[in-house]
Amino acid sequence: MCARLHGYAGGRIRDDSDERMPPPRAVGIVDVMNVTTTTPTIAAGRAPADARVIRLHLPARVRKLVLLVHLAAAGVWLGLDLVLGILVLTALGADPTAAAAAAASLAAVATWPLVIVGVVTLVSGVLLGLGSKYGLVRYWWVLAKLAINLVLVTLVVLVLWPGMTAIGEAGRAALESGDTPVVGATLVFPPVVSSTVVIVAMTLSVFKPWGRVRRSR
């Protein structure tokens, strides 16, 4: 080692390796700032996707109660569709008196009872979505159930209610006159379609298919 020493350079011993090694740099304030600014940060005005999701805090007992109401309302809805189908078949194929009585009873089933259970199902479903990780627009199966509920309630209010009211009036008139009420065969479609769609919505709740909704960034 002594053979490699050549003298002093700036108050320190210099050897042959100094020519191949860069002089050490002193770490200053600028270097510290450069290091600290390379850490990941969230851009101003932007937040994680989960932070923008509206969540409703529901205690466990309240959530179970809302879930019970939701299931009960959906079951009543399906039961009303079944009763509606039986009344329609009776109005189409029974004797004049029974057909008139069935037609007169249609308005009592297919109007405000269906609207009430539809709204209760919708409201309770929204509360369950906001109070859980699924939300309302984060999963395809939740969106599908929400769309089904909204469409069915709208159809009941705008289409089924006026039609069933008119048929009910015709049924009461037929009871008084003893005639057979005129009921179109297309009346079988509302209970069949409604009950099928409600069963589909129940199936979506159980199996939860299709995964999450992918949002564009």
Side-chain angles (χ1 to χ4, degrees):
M1 178 176 180
C2 294
R4 299 176 61 186
L5 298 177
H6 294 288
Y8 292 89
R12 65 183 180 88
I13 298 175
R14 182 173 62 87
D15 57 12
D16 292 338
S17 62
D18 290 339
E19 297 178 358
R20 297 188 299 271
M21 296 176 59
R25 288 183 56 195
V27 179
I29 298 178
V30 177
D31 300 303
V32 176
M33 293 178 62
N34 290 336
V35 173
T36 55
T37 54
T38 57
T39 54
T41 56
I42 298 175
R46 296 180 61 185
D50 292 341
R52 297 193 298 268
V53 177
I54 300 176
R55 291 291 296 272
L56 180 65
H57 176 69
L58 293 178
R61 291 185 178 180
V62 175
R63 188 180 183 281
K64 290 180 180 180
L65 179 60
V66 176
L67 179 60
L68 178 62
V69 171
H70 185 70
L71 295 176
V76 173
W77 194 339
L78 192 60
L80 288 175
D81 286 336
L82 178 61
V83 172
L84 181 61
I86 293 174
L87 290 176
V88 169
L89 292 178
T90 303
L92 288 173
D95 59 88
T97 302
S105 303
L106 285 174
V109 176
T111 52
W112 60 267
L114 276 179
V115 174
I116 290 177
V117 296
V119 172
V120 171
T121 305
L122 177 63
V123 173
S124 58
V126 169
L127 291 177
L128 289 174
L130 294 178
S132 67
K133 66 178 182 180
Y134 298 110
L136 293 179
V137 294
R138 300 181 67 189
Y139 289 83
W140 284 114
W141 66 272
V142 180
L143 276 175
K145 283 191 60 180
L146 183 62
I148 287 172
N149 205 326
L150 287 173
V151 170
L152 286 182
V153 172
T154 302
L155 289 177
V156 169
V157 174
L158 298 181
V159 179
L160 194 61
W161 192 320
M164 291 300 177
T165 301
I167 293 175
E169 294 175 354
R172 287 189 292 270
L175 278 175
E176 295 177 357
S177 62
D179 299 330
T180 302
V182 179
V183 179
T186 57
L187 202 60
V188 299
F189 289 107
V192 172
V193 173
S194 179
S195 58
T196 302
V197 174
V198 170
I199 293 175
V200 169
M202 292 178 175
T203 305
L204 293 177
S205 298
V206 174
F207 293 99
K208 300 176 177 58
W210 306 325
R212 297 187 61 166
V213 177
R214 301 298 179 183
R215 299 182 181 181
S216 58
R217 295 184 181 274

